[in-house]
Amino acid sequence: MGSEKLRILLVDDDKDDYIIARDILSEIERVKYDLHWESTYKNALRVLSENQFDICLFDYRLGEKTGLELLREAIKSGYKGPIIILTGQGDYEIDNEVIKAGASDYLVKGQISSSLLERSIRHALERKRIEEALVTAKDYAENLINSSIDMIIATNIDRMITEFNPAAQKVFGYSKCDVLHKPIHLLFANHEVWQDINKKIEQEKVFLGEVVKKKKSGEIFHSYLSASILRDSKGQDVGIIGISRDITIQKRLGEQMLYNAYHDSLTDLPNRNYFMNYLEKTITYTRMNKSNLFAVFFLDIDRFKIINDSLGHTIGDKLLISIAERLKECLRCNDIVARFGGDEFVLLLDNIKDVACTKAIAEKILKRLKEPFCLDGHTVFTSASIGIVLHGEYYDRPEDILRDADIVMYRVKENGRSNYAMFDKKMHFHAVKVLQLEEDMQKAIVNNEFKIYYQPIVSLADDNIVGFESLIRWEHPRRGLVSPEEFIPLAEETGMIESIGSWVIKEALSQNNIWYNSGYLHLYVSVNVSARQFRNRNLTELIQRILDETGMNMRNFYLEITESTAMEDMNRCVKILKELRDIGIKIMLDDFGTGFSSINNLRFLPVDGIKIDLSLTRDIATNSDAATIARAIINMAHGLNKKVIAEGVETEAQIKFLRSHNCDMVQGYFFSKPKPAHELIRLL
Ligand code: C2E
Ligand code: MG
Ligand code: MG
């Protein structure tokens, strides 16, 4: 008992007994108390209602009433403390009855000692404290369950519902009475769902995961459930308790996000991610099922940018949506149409019969897209270019298929649009080769794999070497010497020609300087420039910069441009050639006789000479037509005051012919093949 004073109410109609009780109490040393005595039932109830007592001692006999009646009335009117009943004589029946009615103890007055009373009071108070704690704990638990925003549902061992909190009532639409003592499976989407969960709980004692449940209305919803076995204080299984939360919204949100990640928001078609995943699966499937044939169509709308810019983005968007619709119409339902952004659509046609069938679909699409579109009162005409990759078996990676389909699509565009073309096996291997070559060429620059060979040019007047044409060689580490005919066009296409070209010019200039400084004052060096290099206005600037940076002089330096390069844009060509000549460079027109230039054009070109192409030289001694043309070219060039070199001279007969027709110079294997500079000293 604590240090607080205990407030005790004693109700006894006998004053002597009160005095005895008071005396006994006063002997209890450990208890400090305030004793209040009442002698009647009525007064007792009154003081109880007006005051707070920690403990009551009621005499069993209270005139016409009994202590038992007072006890019942006191409890009824809200008294919560312990009550001890005192009596004159012990009576087993009464003892039982008062304890049942809520008394803490039943003491016989004659036998009461101070220690007995003290113990009785102490035990009564302690029991009361425990009871109160239990009630508090129970209230607390109930509160928790009732105020939880999660659904809390419990069952007994027979899986009948025993707890169904307000959150559960709200979600399911059942009241507690509706479901109490009903089987739990009633709350799940179907009996199997529940059986699976129950099995798991029985085996693993817990269940954690998503489950589908059913509301009173029959509506199905998703919830996250954590359930476990419920045990009593002895550890016995008594049921199941489950806590769950409605995750319908999250689930819908997640599904929406997933959908967005794989679809194009404008047309609602699958997007690149979706397509690539699907294509990868199709490739894998085809690898195992060799007979499967699938096709990938890369489709680009012709002139879409013009439509978009002239009619506005709204119409542009509507056009894309309508195109998406038409494309879907043209395909089977398990084919895939994806939009990769812009005006690019990509189609996957799986399990197709043959090439003819693929072509038929391509034609159908092209025809359908050519039909006019009516958009906001505008009639819009369009068409498409389609690149097709068939025979997916050659591919391991979806990106490669797309790359090749894209390549063919561009080829279609180049060839006039509004058509389709197929990427065939040959193209595939060529593409692979080109790609490899391109990669190697990058390395070649860094690794100094490019070399320059020089081929002598001989004057027919005195049979002396008058100059050299520089010809690039690639010493490929694996493939050996690679011909410029193979890699120059590729270098052109990729733009690498810029760096390769300026390296060649620098090398040739430097060789030119070396020969000059060795006493060969009149030797010239010529360098070939390709169309792309030539179109680049900076050619003059580039050469000037090389001279400035290296401090070299430029003497007898020639550039060779082909006849076809010169004819691409005559006016511009004339302008550039003039600039080049202004800084002292001489110009040769290469491969003359192969292009389609009218001889008349030669009048306007500021060139110093022409080189008769080797295809013509080859035949001059054996074919009279070739001879006539060659003769005409030489005469005409001389008439315009230009020098003539014949390329590819291999025989005595050719030399004889050329000499007799006053050709100025010759170049060819007859004299020497192109060689590295150090091997040429002997010749000089
Ligand atoms: P091109 O300028 O017409 O060069 C002449 C080609 O004829 C050279 O081939 C040369 O080796 C070859 N040739 C010379 N004499 C004979 C002969 O008697 N018989 C036969 N059958 N062929 C002969 P090459 O070196 O393979 O060069 C091919 C083409 O590559 C050149 O034709 C030129 O257009 C281009 N090229 C070479 N080097 C360069 C360069 O540094 N830059 C650029 N842009 N193009 C180059
Ligand atoms: Mg040349
Ligand atoms: Mg040539």
Side-chain angles (χ1 to χ4, degrees):
M1 287 177 231
S3 56
E4 292 275 300
K5 269 190 174 169
L6 214 55
R7 287 154 301 175
I8 303 175
L9 171 65
L10 174 66
V11 185
D12 201 320
D13 55 354
D14 188 334
K15 192 173 181 184
D16 292 341
D17 282 351
Y18 153 63
I19 292 166
I20 294 168
R22 192 190 63 194
D23 290 349
I24 292 171
L25 278 168
S26 69
E27 284 169 27
I28 304 173
E29 280 170 3
R30 273 190 279 167
V31 183
K32 293 185 206 123
Y33 61 90
D34 271 336
L35 181 64
H36 185 96
W37 170 55
E38 287 297 339
S39 59
T40 65
Y41 175 90
K42 216 168 119 197
N43 284 349
L45 280 179
R46 186 180 45 77
V47 295
L48 264 176
S49 72
E50 287 168 0
N51 300 283
Q52 293 250 333
F53 292 99
D54 296 311
I55 190 159
C56 293
L57 308 173
F58 296 163
D59 185 16
Y60 189 75
R61 305 231 163 273
L62 293 171
E64 288 168 7
K65 296 279 184 186
T66 64
L68 180 60
E69 281 169 295
L70 180 58
L71 173 139
R72 286 193 174 123
E73 202 52 40
I75 292 173
K76 212 156 100 193
S77 59
Y79 175 73
K80 290 205 165 56
I83 298 170
I84 298 171
I85 302 291
L86 308 171
T87 182
Q89 278 142 332
D91 180 322
Y92 179 76
E93 302 267 299
I94 296 173
D95 184 343
N96 224 359
E97 201 176 354
V98 297
I99 296 296
K100 266 193 197 148
S104 298
D105 210 348
Y106 177 72
L107 302 176
V108 181
K109 286 183 187 169
Q111 297 166 0
I112 299 176
S113 66
S114 67
S115 66
L116 180 71
L117 188 57
E118 183 264 339
R119 206 174 60 229
S120 179
I121 290 173
R122 184 155 48 82
H123 287 182
L125 285 169
E126 184 56 20
R127 242 188 335 268
K128 212 60 199 179
R129 198 187 58 73
I130 291 168
E131 266 168 32
E132 264 165 20
L134 276 174
V135 169
T136 311
K138 191 164 167 268
D139 284 353
Y140 182 69
E142 252 162 32
N143 253 325
L144 274 185
I145 290 171
N146 289 339
S147 55
S148 164
I149 55 161
D150 288 327
M151 294 176 267
I152 300 176
I153 301 167
T155 73
N156 61 15
I157 192 105
D158 300 322
R159 309 301 186 238
M160 297 295 173
I161 298 168
T162 53
E163 179 60 61
F164 196 72
N165 78 337
Q169 294 163 32
K170 200 169 148 208
V171 174
F172 279 94
Y174 286 116
S175 72
K176 197 166 179 170
C177 301
D178 287 341
V179 294
L180 223 53
H181 311 302
K182 299 258 170 68
I184 182 83
H185 69 73
L186 153 97
L187 303 177
F188 290 86
N190 55 52
H191 207 265
E192 286 80 63
V193 171
W194 158 248
Q195 273 173 335
D196 287 347
I197 295 166
N198 193 35
K199 209 159 118 196
K200 195 139 194 204
I201 296 175
E202 279 171 2
Q203 282 166 357
E204 297 171 18
K205 306 292 172 212
V206 288
F207 173 88
L208 280 176
E210 250 182 73
V211 294
V212 264
K213 295 192 178 159
K214 190 163 70 189
K215 298 186 182 181
K216 186 178 182 180
S217 65
E219 189 192 326
I220 300 292
F221 69 101
H222 290 265
S223 81
Y224 190 82
L225 169 68
S226 86
S228 55
I229 296 280
L230 199 60
R231 293 174 212 277
D232 66 8
S233 54
K234 296 187 203 93
Q236 293 289 328
D237 289 7
V238 290
I240 291 175
I241 172 121
I243 301 176
S244 57
R245 187 172 282 194
D246 183 356
I247 54 165
T248 312
I249 293 172
Q250 287 93 319
K251 192 126 177 104
R252 231 174 262 154
L253 222 69
E255 276 161 10
Q256 185 65 45
M257 272 162 71
L258 200 69
Y259 186 87
N260 291 349
Y262 286 98
H263 287 82
D264 164 45
S265 59
L266 178 69
T267 58
D268 209 28
L269 290 178
N271 64 9
R272 181 187 282 269
N273 288 341
Y274 185 108
F275 188 88
M276 294 310 253
N277 278 345
Y278 204 89
L279 183 55
E280 185 150 19
K281 285 191 192 118
T282 309
I283 293 173
T284 313
Y285 175 81
T286 307
R287 215 175 290 142
M288 292 183 292
N289 301 275
K290 292 265 186 275
S291 62
N292 188 49
L293 190 64
F294 70 88
V296 171
F297 283 33
F298 201 110
L299 186 148
D300 191 279
I301 305 303
D302 298 328
R303 298 166 32 254
F304 178 76
K305 199 175 141 34
I306 299 174
I307 297 169
N308 210 31
D309 290 348
S310 57
L311 298 177
H313 292 265
T314 318
I315 301 259
D317 284 355
K318 285 187 178 165
L319 177 61
L320 291 172
I321 294 167
S322 307
I323 287 170
E325 286 307 318
R326 287 193 190 179
L327 288 175
K328 278 193 273 183
E329 278 167 31
C330 292
L331 300 178
R332 300 163 303 180
C333 58
N334 52 340
D335 293 331
I336 289 188
V337 189
R339 179 172 170 245
F340 275 23
D343 57 345
E344 283 176 1
F345 293 87
V346 182
L347 284 52
L348 176 64
L349 286 69
D350 195 10
N351 192 14
I352 42 175
K353 223 169 81 209
D354 50 24
V355 180
C357 159
T358 313
K359 286 182 174 172
I361 298 169
E363 272 153 23
K364 185 170 155 194
I365 291 173
L366 289 177
K367 188 162 162 252
R368 187 78 180 92
L369 294 184
K370 267 187 204 154
E371 289 165 22
F373 290 86
C374 290
L375 307 165
D376 289 353
H378 295 274
T379 306
V380 179
F381 290 91
T382 185
S383 59
S385 301
I386 308 175
I388 303 172
V389 169
L390 205 66
H391 293 293
E393 78 225 54
Y394 297 119
Y395 297 88
D396 285 331
R397 303 183 324 153
E399 307 90 83
D400 294 346
I401 295 186
L402 245 14
R403 179 202 61 217
D404 290 349
D406 193 29
I407 290 174
V408 216
M409 190 275 291
Y410 265 98
R411 215 157 284 178
V412 173
K413 291 241 173 208
E414 276 167 16
N415 294 335
R417 306 190 178 105
S418 188
N419 206 344
Y420 70 90
M422 291 205 189
F423 194 87
D424 61 30
K425 214 161 139 186
K426 258 192 275 160
M427 282 167 97
H428 171 72
F429 292 122
H430 175 74
V432 170
K433 199 173 139 197
V434 164
L435 223 73
Q436 183 64 47
L437 211 61
E438 193 183 330
E439 204 182 310
D440 289 354
M441 212 156 29
Q442 295 277 11
K443 287 188 210 139
I445 300 178
V446 186
N447 298 342
N448 288 320
E449 287 164 18
F450 290 121
K451 298 279 151 28
I452 294 186
Y453 280 33
Y454 295 90
Q455 189 177 31
I457 292 155
V458 176
S459 160
L460 284 180
D462 53 12
D463 288 351
N464 275 336
I465 294 176
V466 289
F468 290 93
E469 177 177 7
S470 60
L471 294 158
I472 191 168
R473 296 288 176 268
W474 179 5
E475 289 174 0
H476 194 286
R478 275 176 288 115
R479 301 175 55 193
L481 220 54
V482 183
S483 155
E485 314 244 88
E486 196 175 333
F487 68 85
I488 292 288
L490 186 68
E492 277 255 289
E493 213 177 287
T494 56
M496 256 179 267
I497 193 70
E498 308 277 345
S499 46
I500 296 174
S502 65
W503 175 82
V504 172
I505 292 172
K506 206 178 201 169
E507 284 289 302
L509 270 172
S510 138
Q511 191 56 51
N512 190 201
N513 273 256
I514 292 169
W515 280 325
Y516 185 87
N517 294 333
S518 313
Y520 303 104
L521 304 182
H522 302 292
L523 269 189
Y524 79 76
V525 169
S526 74
V527 164
N528 293 286
V529 285
S530 63
R532 183 169 176 152
Q533 272 175 291
F534 189 70
R535 274 198 303 271
N536 186 345
R537 280 184 179 279
N538 301 327
L539 192 55
T540 324
E541 235 175 76
L542 172 82
I543 295 171
Q544 194 60 61
R545 204 171 53 233
I546 293 172
L547 293 174
D548 292 347
E549 279 169 12
T550 57
M552 291 189 289
N553 292 312
M554 189 168 56
R555 302 175 189 93
N556 296 326
F557 191 67
Y558 279 71
L559 289 184
E560 296 187 8
I561 62 158
T562 63
E563 184 190 2
S564 42
T565 303
M567 293 311 145
E568 259 179 27
D569 182 349
M570 271 283 279
N571 292 335
R572 235 184 107 195
C573 175
V574 169
K575 210 171 151 259
I576 299 171
L577 291 180
K578 276 187 179 149
E579 275 174 28
L580 289 165
R581 289 182 101 193
D582 282 349
I583 63 164
I585 293 168
K586 295 203 178 84
I587 312 291
M588 280 289 176
L589 204 57
D590 205 353
D591 299 353
F592 197 82
T594 54
F596 298 99
S597 70
S598 108
I599 286 174
N600 186 39
N601 283 333
L602 204 57
R603 282 199 298 146
F604 308 106
L605 283 174
V607 297
D608 299 276
I610 58 167
K611 294 182 83 170
I612 297 177
D613 190 65
L614 44 82
S615 62
L616 191 61
T617 310
R618 196 191 318 131
D619 299 336
I620 45 171
T622 49
N623 179 300
S624 62
D625 290 347
T628 311
I629 295 170
R631 214 165 38 225
I633 292 176
I634 296 168
N635 288 335
M636 172 206 62
H638 284 163
L640 293 168
N641 204 19
K642 300 183 196 305
K643 297 273 180 235
V644 182
I645 302 178
E647 276 189 304
V649 176
E650 293 182 359
T651 66
E652 189 78 58
Q654 289 162 347
I655 303 259
K656 218 171 137 203
F657 175 92
L658 293 165
R659 210 190 285 276
S660 66
H661 291 97
N662 299 321
C663 179
D664 303 284
M665 289 161 272
V666 287
Q667 174 186 354
Y669 295 168
F670 183 79
F671 296 100
S672 167
K673 285 199 166 185
K675 288 180 175 153
H678 64 88
E679 289 183 29
L680 292 167
I681 295 293
R682 196 178 41 85
L683 266 182
L684 283 170

